[in-house]
Amino acid sequence: MSFSKEIKEEICSVKEASEEEQKPATEEQQMAMAYGMLLFSKSFSASAIALTTESRAAAATYSETIAALTGTIVEMRVKLTHRRGESKVYTLTVPDRNDCAGIFDRFGHQPSQLNLRINRANIDGENGTAYFLRGVFLVCGSVTNPDKDYHMEFAVPYKNLAADLERIISEIDEIKPEPHTIRRQGSYVVYLKGCEVIADILTYIGAPMAALNMMQSSMMKSLRNRINRRTNSETANLKKTADASARQLIAIERIRQKQGLASLPADLRELAEMRLEYPEYNLRELGEALSVPISRSGVNHRLQRLMAIAEALNDS
C-alpha cells in the first residue's frame, strides 16, 4: 500500500472525532470536510458532481458523508485496473441533477458563476480549516514515500482554486507553511517540501501516525547518513594510513639494504624495526609501542627523518 493510501485510511478512520477533545465532530466540521471533498473532486457543479479515486477509504467517506449530510444518494462504480500497480478505481456520482443543484446551492455556489472559488463561509467555524483540508487531501492529495523524498501535493484542475488553496494553507498559524503552485499536464499542483512541515500538516488534518512515521523515517535516514559519512571517513583514514605505511616500509627497506639499520641512531632504529614488525599500526599505536612512549607528532617527526635518509641514499 502506498504512503498516501495509508494516510487516507488513517484520516477516514478518525473522520468523526476531534483531535483535541476526542469528541464527535460537529455538523459544521463535517460540512467543512464534505465541502473540501466536493469542491476538489473530479466534478462539482449545479449539473454534475463526481469523484474518481483509487482509495477505497476515501470513496467510502465521500459517499457516507454526502449521504448523511444532504440525504443524497451517491452511486459508486468500481473498475479493475493495473495502472501504477493499483487494482481498483472508484467512481462516485450524484445521479440526480436536482440533487446536484441543491448541494451546489447549499455550499453557497451559483450556477452562473464562471470560476470555482473557495467559499470561506463554509470553513470559518472551529477547526473548520483543518476539516476542510482533510477533505481536500482525501480527494486530491498525495505524499511521496518518506524513504524517497519529503513532498506533499494537491492536484487542482483550476488556477484560481489552486491559488485559493495555496493561500489557505499558508495561513495556518500553527505551522506557517510555505506552499507553492506549479502547472503540470493541464492542471495545477499546490505542493509543500520538507519533512517537518509536511509532518505538521499531516497532524493538523488528522493523520498523526503518518506524521510520526515520517519523522521516524527522517531520523533513520539521518542516522544512516551519519554512519555512512563516518564509515567513509574511517575508510579514507585507513587507506591514508596504509599508503603512508607502505612508503615508510619501502624507505626502511632501502636503508637496510644499502647501509643496514644498525647505522641508524638508536631512536630511529627502534622505530624502523617497530614499523617493520607492525606495518598496520597507526602513528599513535607506534608511539605507544616504543620502549619510551612518545606522541603521535614525535613518531611522525622520526619517520620523516627516516624518509629523508632513504631519499638521500636513493640519490647517492
Side-chain angles (χ1 to χ4, degrees), residues 68-108:
L69 294 174
T70 67
T72 303
I73 295 174
V74 178
E75 291 185 351
M76 180 187 298
R77 287 184 288 111
V78 183
K79 180 180 178 181
L80 295 177
T81 178
H82 297 289
R83 182 169 59 90
R84 295 201 302 270
E86 303 292 348
S87 59
K88 294 180 181 179
V89 171
Y90 302 86
T91 300
L92 300 99
T93 58
V94 175
D96 190 294
R97 289 174 63 93
N98 291 329
D99 287 339
C100 292
I103 294 172
F104 199 65
D105 177 71
R106 181 168 181 175
F107 286 101

Side-chain angles (χ1 to χ4, degrees), residues 7-16 55 57-59 61 138 206:
I7 296 170
K8 291 176 182 180
E9 288 202 354
E10 181 181 359
I11 290 174
C12 292
S13 70
V14 295
K15 62 180 180 295
E16 295 182 352
S55 168
T61 297
L138 285 177

Side-chain angles (χ1 to χ4, degrees), residues 103-123:
I103 294 172
F104 199 65
D105 177 71
R106 181 168 181 175
F107 286 101
H109 292 275
Q110 303 300 321
S112 60
Q113 68 182 92
L114 298 177
N115 297 305
L116 276 179
R117 305 295 297 266
I118 295 175
N119 181 358
R120 290 193 177 232
N122 294 312
I123 63 175

Side-chain angles (χ1 to χ4, degrees), residues 5 12 14 22 29 37 61 130 142 149 162 171 173 199 218 228-229 234 237 260 273 283:
K5 284 187 116 178
C12 292
V14 295
Q22 292 298 308
Q29 290 167 342
M37 289 190 288
T61 297
S142 63
D149 194 12
E171 292 171 357
D173 291 335
S218 174
N228 287 338
R229 284 195 298 269
E234 290 176 351
N237 289 336
E273 292 171 346
L283 300 186

